[in-house]
Amino acid sequence: MPYDCSKGGVLAARLLSDTDPDPVDVSQGGGDWLLTVEHAGRAVPAALGDLDLPPGEIDRHIGWDPGALDLARKLAEQLDASVIAQRYSRLVIDCNRPRGAPDLVPETSDGVVVPRNRTNAEDRQRRWDEIHMPFHAAVARTLNAGTRRLIAVHTYDPKRRSDAAVRPWPVGLLSRRPNALLDALTRHLSGLERFGPLGINEPYEIEDTSDYTIPVHAEPRELPHVLIEVRNDLLGNVAAINEMADRLSAACKTLETA
């Protein structure tokens, strides 16, 4: 059983059953790149039902990052990279959020109420122990084994329901610390001008209060790193995913030859 350190006791029951999928999917590459996909899947533990969501809502960006896993896998082929992906929906628990983030287990997302997330501390502890922690333990193990470059792969909506603003950047590159990988991508990521300007720390920024993978794994190790946000309408089919992976991998490989 998971152990609740905050209360000094054992929780009453596990969240994940034997029939629920393992939260972490690991594909081992031969190179020294690691790609993480924190919002890869839409799975929900059987114990949580459908989170009492309206039909179809979990298939939107609020439930996962559409196209992110397919993009990461294609990019991994080209970089000989390892991929660590999270199978459960970000509405169950967001694996790129720190413990105190208000949207770690979001009660609303882009205007949609998530009734099953109006829950107690023990339920949140189980989600943290059984989904969030195993994902980041796998990331730490891979990095400690010698991986030298980290890319967190995400996608985003060109426009949210709850926000009138249009988000024009085809790709956003997020990092709050200058590093060689961010430099290489900024200089050499080409061919996207027809879609819009490259976003530097757009449409989000890395913050201790809202991010986990980069602050916890990349920055303390002083690794070349970046969180990549790709506009999800540019990943609508296999050809588009392959084209984006080609562009990203070509820019990444300039770091290897520098």
Side-chain angles (χ1 to χ4, degrees), residues 57-183:
E57 290 294 340
I58 202 167
D59 299 321
R60 295 176 51 225
H61 179 258
I62 65 170
W64 66 319
D65 279 0
L69 181 57
D70 290 334
L71 176 62
R73 285 175 171 164
K74 187 64 181 179
L75 185 57
E77 289 178 13
Q78 301 180 5
L79 297 176
D80 197 14
S82 297
V83 178
I84 299 179
Q86 169 54 243
R87 289 188 170 104
Y88 285 95
S89 172
R90 67 197 303 169
L91 294 179
V92 175
I93 188 167
D94 192 322
C95 285
N96 195 40
R97 295 290 183 271
R99 186 59 186 269
D103 57 348
L104 175 70
V105 179
E107 295 185 10
T108 62
S109 184
D110 196 19
V112 176
V113 175
V114 189
R116 186 62 182 80
N117 286 353
R118 293 174 176 169
T119 185
N120 57 38
E122 288 192 353
D123 181 53
R124 288 171 178 257
Q125 183 70 44
R126 281 189 281 267
R127 299 187 198 196
W128 179 270
D129 287 348
E130 299 181 43
I131 298 174
H132 195 288
M133 287 183 65
F135 176 81
H136 288 288
V139 173
R141 283 193 300 271
T142 301
L143 294 175
N144 291 341
T147 299
R148 296 193 297 133
R149 302 176 179 101
L150 173 63
I151 300 176
V153 181
H154 293 251
T155 65
Y156 75 98
D157 279 341
K159 185 178 179 301
R160 292 174 290 194
R161 283 185 185 173
S162 58
D163 186 349
V166 175
R167 304 152 101 190
W169 313 279
V171 172
L173 303 175
L174 280 59
S175 175
R176 59 185 177 179
R177 296 186 182 179
N179 67 84
L181 179 54
L182 176 66
D183 241 11

Side-chain angles (χ1 to χ4, degrees), residues 143 150 174-179 201 205-209 211-227:
L143 294 175
L150 173 63
L174 280 59
S175 175
R176 59 185 177 179
R177 296 186 182 179
N179 67 84
N201 291 314
E205 294 184 352
I206 302 290
E207 301 287 354
D208 288 328
T209 55
D211 291 86
Y212 196 91
T213 298
I214 298 300
V216 169
H217 297 293
E219 292 176 349
R221 292 176 173 86
E222 299 184 344
L223 297 174
H225 67 272
V226 69
L227 189 155

Side-chain angles (χ1 to χ4, degrees), residues 1 7 19 33 36 44 55 60 68 107 112 126 218 231 238 255:
M1 290 184 179
K7 295 185 177 181
T19 59
W33 294 82
T36 62
V44 178
R60 295 176 51 225
E107 295 185 10
V112 176
R126 281 189 281 267
R231 215 174 69 206
V238 171
L255 178 62

